[in-house]
Amino acid sequence: MAKFTNKIKRLIIACNYLTFKKVVILHKIVFSYILSVFGVVGLKPKYPHFISVETTNYCNLHCPECPVGLKQYQNKSSCFDYNLFVKLINELKTNIFHVILYFQGEPFLHNNLAELIKYAHKSKLYTSTSTNGQFLRGNMAREIVLSGLDKLIISVDGSTQEVYQSYRVGGNLQKALDGIKELVYWKKMLKSATPLLEIQFIVLKTNESQLDEMRKLARALDVDRLAFKTAQLYNFESGNELMTSKSKYSRYKKNKQGKLEIKAKQLNRCWRLWSGAVVNVHGEVLPCCFDKGSEHSFGNVQNNLFSACWSNKKASDFRAKILHNRKQFEMCRNCTAK
């Protein structure tokens, strides 16, 4: 009964973030996208429906399929500037619905993460983030509940330390589980329906035998949701040792040539280029979360308005190229977005 009540409370909270203006903007985004798909020059999207903000570009773990964990991009470790975040939110707060405080890196390594969440929450924006769960103990758990965060995803890719650390290299399973318990405790103590707590389990060859154990563990932890996620793998064409044998949880299938390919048909369109944007730790506005190396920046919010970056010629030309030939971009060839 308590979980059902919390669902209703979260729904009411989410509805409070909606305004007539935001609904109108969403309809304009949808209309623009539909026209573009059919080859008609539509309304230029001035704002997306949501943004992802890269709070940090570094991590304490070394996951084998993560560019940050593999140190593929040797950038200086940085955190998103609080004043720049305030500037960005002040521009967007009446126009977008959702801010995701995550792109690459571990958000909880940002010393002022709770303050970022609080500011976005007070600005009437739905907030969410994702974590490896290594920094949720003690006062941090209480601060996150008090911040107004609407949704928190905690990655737990194994029900035993041996299996967990085979992917979350350098991570401690018990730390993550204890952190989840702390969050559940403080939600109850503070009588808060938020954040929605979701355990995310990336299904891999190394952990596919533990799906049932994870279901039991999620129930025991009393979280709101358990999500089994398909893995995005690099160099997948000839196979990858981490690829699950469970077809239901794989993004890939064998083609007639015996090579692996994305299951989903990749059409020359992408809703994400209209509905959402990424702002990296340096303020660069990127087309989506697949632009790991920030190769396709539309501009920088340090010296421009977000709307100017999101609707400029560079952004429009990029969308046009996607509509013409999506696979010309390497980052799009391993993407399941439609």
Side-chain angles (χ1 to χ4, degrees), residues 57-59 61-72 104-105:
N57 65 350
Y58 59 103
C59 187
L61 302 187
H62 307 283
C63 305
E65 289 293 317
C66 174
V68 172
L70 295 173
K71 299 188 183 299
Q72 289 182 352
Q104 301 190 93

Side-chain angles (χ1 to χ4, degrees), residues 137-281:
R137 295 293 305 276
N139 194 52
M140 177 56 75
R142 182 175 181 273
E143 282 297 305
I144 289 300
V145 175
L146 287 171
S147 71
L149 182 69
D150 292 287
K151 181 179 177 180
L152 177 61
I153 297 170
I154 308 106
S155 296
V156 183
D157 305 309
S159 60
T160 61
Q161 176 63 25
E162 181 182 7
V163 170
Y164 172 82
Q165 70 183 3
S166 66
Y167 187 74
R168 299 289 165 183
V169 179
N172 183 296
L173 174 61
Q174 195 57 51
K175 274 188 179 181
L177 300 183
D178 288 344
I180 293 169
K181 291 174 185 176
E182 290 268 357
L183 286 163
V184 171
Y185 169 80
W186 281 114
K187 281 180 65 177
K188 290 177 179 177
M189 286 295 292
L190 297 169
K191 298 180 180 180
S192 176
T194 59
L196 181 150
L197 298 178
E198 177 182 304
I199 289 179
Q200 190 173 89
F201 183 100
I202 301 175
V203 182
L204 305 160
K205 183 69 175 175
T206 53
N207 64 14
E208 62 184 17
S209 64
Q210 294 190 336
L211 301 186
D212 286 339
E213 285 84 351
M214 280 306 303
R215 292 185 181 99
K216 293 175 184 176
L217 182 58
R219 285 194 293 270
L221 290 169
D222 198 26
V223 295
D224 300 294
R225 185 181 298 166
L226 169 65
F228 293 121
K229 185 182 178 184
T230 60
Q232 179 200 352
L233 302 171
Y234 296 94
N235 303 316
F236 63 85
E237 289 90 348
S238 299
N240 185 306
E241 63 181 8
L242 287 171
M243 191 175 297
T244 180
S245 63
K246 294 182 180 293
S247 177
K248 178 181 178 180
Y249 298 111
S250 177
R251 297 189 185 193
Y252 311 99
K253 65 177 181 180
K254 278 190 177 181
N255 58 26
K256 293 179 180 179
Q257 290 72 43
K259 294 284 186 180
L260 288 162
E261 63 182 13
I262 293 281
K263 282 181 181 178
K265 189 174 182 181
Q266 291 183 302
L267 302 172
N268 291 326
R269 64 184 70 167
C270 184
W271 167 240
R272 286 294 295 271
L273 287 178
W274 274 256
S275 63
V278 171
V279 183
N280 76 10
V281 74

